[in-house]
Amino acid sequence: MLRVRGTTYHFRRIVPPALRAALNRREIWVSLKTGYQNEARKRASLLHARTTELFSQTHLALSEPDALSRFEGLRVSLRDLQSVTLPSSAQETGSVPVSAPMPKPQRQSKQAKTPKAQPLMLSDAMKRFVLDNPHASTDTKKATQRAREEGLPTLSGKSVKNHMMRLSALWNQLHQRELVTRNPWTGWNFENGQKTVRRSWTTKELALLASASWHSTSVPEQTFRLVTLIAAYSGMRLGEICTLRKEDLQTVDGIPCFLIRPHTETGWTPKTEAGTRIVPVHSKLIEAGVLALKDTTDGLYLIPGLETSKQGVRGAALGRAFSLLKTRIGLPAEITFHSFRHTVSTQLRNADANIREVWIDRLLGHEATHKSQGTTTYLTGITTANLNQTIEAISYPETAFANMTI
């Protein structure tokens, strides 16, 4: 029978009552030294065969005249069985088949020296369990490689936290495979200072942003204004906006919509499963001329003037330029580009309109607040008209984005 202690499987078998006195055991418990169920089953099968043979020999010994001397040898065999390190097959262990008698263990005068195992280097572990792992996300692989490839200097507190959390995840993998005895990062608090809580924009801050001059040479000002306008009237993430392709602007049920979906040709995917969604184009964006981008922009993407970084992130330069701008004009740390998403969420949840919570969650790509069967069924019935009604509830003062056209 298989048992799990921590992350390791164990083999447990009850000794028949008639044999307990002879073997001086009530049960046999052996660590299988693996956290993989299939491997544990193979090793447990081998142990089951060996214990069956041991029980059989004990039954025979009970009927023999020199039973006492035979019992001692069987007890030694049992102790050896409980301390054995089992590989995945009988062939690898050189174990004795069920039909053959189990020989008495012989003491060796001198044990042969086994070659010293080479330590697993952290770089090898990173390659094996992260970079070569088909289940690791593209973002995780890129973030793991970035510091090594670029030789980055001093890291921010957030970057340090991210790296340490990835190390902890890696050590969990190593511990599960019994390559290390424990995860040294367990229980660590990676917060190195007071966390800045991002918040929504105020009317005054939006006016300050709208009147600010754009100094970046890597991103055109028109592109900055366009992306800002789309974020404000959709609540979409910066990465979602910058990776929009022209084919992602389509009419659904008679309503112009942005389609947020995976890009198989580049490997880009939404942040979460719920992030794959449709977002109706706000009437203010239509007035500004967003729909014309599909015909006037060159290339694959809908938003012009953006380059893809070495890490494969489109819009990374815009994110950096925006951070410099907000610092230059004196906006607080609580305000970031992501604050447009907070602003939209706050507006919609406080809107004096017949807007349901699940419509807001679907529009923003959030997991549903309630995951009952009723909610799950209802989510499939949300129409494009429901989402359009939700998106049109977003509004700003005229001074926020005055005279903004594409």
Side-chain angles (χ1 to χ4, degrees):
M1 182 180 296
L2 289 178
R3 297 289 190 196
V4 179
R5 283 186 175 179
T7 60
T8 304
Y9 282 93
H10 291 71
F11 170 82
R12 178 175 179 262
R13 188 172 184 183
I14 302 299
V15 177
L19 307 181
R20 291 175 183 174
L23 294 177
N24 197 27
R25 290 284 191 280
R26 294 181 61 85
E27 64 179 29
I28 297 172
W29 190 286
V30 182
S31 172
L32 297 175
K33 297 180 173 61
T34 182
Y36 294 98
Q37 189 177 58
N38 289 339
E39 184 69 16
R41 286 175 177 171
K42 294 178 184 178
R43 300 182 184 189
S45 177
L46 173 63
L47 280 172
H48 189 275
R50 297 180 70 172
T51 51
T52 298
E53 181 63 32
L54 179 65
F55 294 160
S56 176
Q57 291 184 17
T58 306
H59 275 294
L60 292 175
L62 288 173
S63 61
E64 295 179 1
D66 60 339
L68 291 178
S69 61
R70 290 279 287 150
F71 290 160
E72 182 59 30
L74 291 170
R75 289 169 184 170
V76 172
S77 299
L78 178 58
R79 286 197 297 273
D80 291 343
L81 181 68
Q82 289 183 302
S83 62
V84 71
T85 300
L86 292 171
S88 60
S89 67
Q91 183 178 3
E92 292 172 332
T93 59
S95 61
V96 180
V98 179
S99 58
M102 182 178 294
K104 295 181 180 180
Q106 297 180 354
R107 293 186 179 181
Q108 297 180 356
S109 57
K110 188 176 182 180
Q111 293 183 346
K113 291 185 177 180
T114 56
K116 187 177 181 181
Q118 293 296 321
L120 179 66
M121 302 300 291
L122 183 59
S123 57
D124 296 332
M126 180 180 70
K127 183 176 186 302
R128 179 178 172 186
F129 301 121
V130 179
L131 302 181
D132 291 344
N133 183 359
H135 301 295
S137 68
T138 303
D139 176 69
T140 298
K141 292 181 180 180
K142 288 177 179 177
T144 303
Q145 286 178 303
R146 184 180 178 188
R148 182 184 66 179
E149 292 179 349
E150 297 188 6
L152 296 179
T154 304
L155 300 176
S156 67
K158 181 179 179 181
S159 296
V160 171
K161 174 184 173 182
N162 289 339
H163 285 308
M164 293 302 101
M165 291 180 67
R166 290 188 178 97
L167 275 177
S168 180
L170 172 60
W171 240 268
N172 278 335
Q173 294 289 325
L174 298 177
H175 185 257
Q176 290 174 11
R177 290 164 172 77
E178 298 181 338
L179 296 174
V180 297
T181 57
R182 66 185 183 90
N183 181 357
W185 309 104
T186 299
W188 274 57
N189 182 3
F190 299 110
E191 299 292 346
N192 59 352
Q194 186 175 3
K195 185 176 181 180
T196 300
V197 179
R198 292 176 293 193
R199 60 168 174 80
S200 303
W201 292 83
T202 65
T203 302
K204 183 178 179 181
E205 289 164 346
L206 285 173
L208 180 62
L209 178 68
S211 61
S213 57
W214 183 251
H215 292 174
S216 174
T217 57
S218 58
V219 179
E221 179 175 0
Q222 189 74 354
T223 298
F224 155 66
R225 302 293 178 187
L226 168 62
V227 173
T228 299
L229 192 66
I230 294 176
Y233 282 103
S234 70
M236 291 161 58
R237 299 177 177 90
L238 177 62
E240 294 172 343
I241 299 172
C242 294
T243 55
L244 282 171
R245 301 163 299 183
K246 288 191 285 189
E247 63 185 62
D248 294 329
L249 180 57
Q250 296 186 15
T251 300
V252 181
D253 298 329
I255 299 172
C257 296
F258 297 117
L259 275 59
I260 312 301
R261 54 188 178 177
H263 300 173
T264 55
E265 69 277 8
T266 61
W268 183 87
T269 58
K271 187 174 182 180
T272 64
E273 183 178 352
T276 300
R277 64 198 189 279
I278 63 172
V279 179
V281 181
H282 196 286
S283 57
K284 289 291 184 181
L285 296 179
I286 296 176
E287 291 175 11
V290 167
L291 299 185
L293 291 171
K294 194 169 185 178
D295 300 320
T296 59
T297 304
D298 295 329
L300 174 69
Y301 292 100
L302 187 69
I303 308 299
L306 295 174
E307 299 293 336
T308 301
S309 68
K310 294 180 180 178
Q311 292 75 41
V313 180
R314 193 168 194 269
L318 174 57
R320 291 191 295 269
F322 184 87
S323 296
L324 292 174
L325 171 65
K326 81 179 192 70
T327 301
R328 178 168 56 82
I329 63 179
L331 289 174
E334 294 84 3
I335 290 297
T336 65
F337 191 92
H338 199 80
S339 294
F340 286 114
R341 190 166 168 82
H342 286 276
T343 303
V344 169
S345 178
T346 301
Q347 278 198 28
L348 294 179
R349 297 181 199 282
N350 295 330
D352 186 18
N354 187 23
I355 299 176
R356 300 183 183 275
E357 191 82 9
V358 288
W359 297 358
I360 301 173
D361 289 335
R362 172 61 65 85
L363 182 73
L364 296 176
H366 288 159
E367 296 291 344
T369 307
H370 306 288
K371 293 189 176 181
S372 63
Q373 180 59 43
T375 300
T376 303
T377 303
Y378 181 72
L379 280 172
T380 61
I382 298 176
T383 65
T384 311
N386 297 145
L387 297 178
N388 193 53
Q389 177 185 343
T390 306
I391 205 78
E392 289 298 328
I394 303 171
S395 64
Y396 295 93
E398 291 296 329
T399 56
F401 304 103
N403 302 320
M404 178 62 193
T405 57
I406 308 303

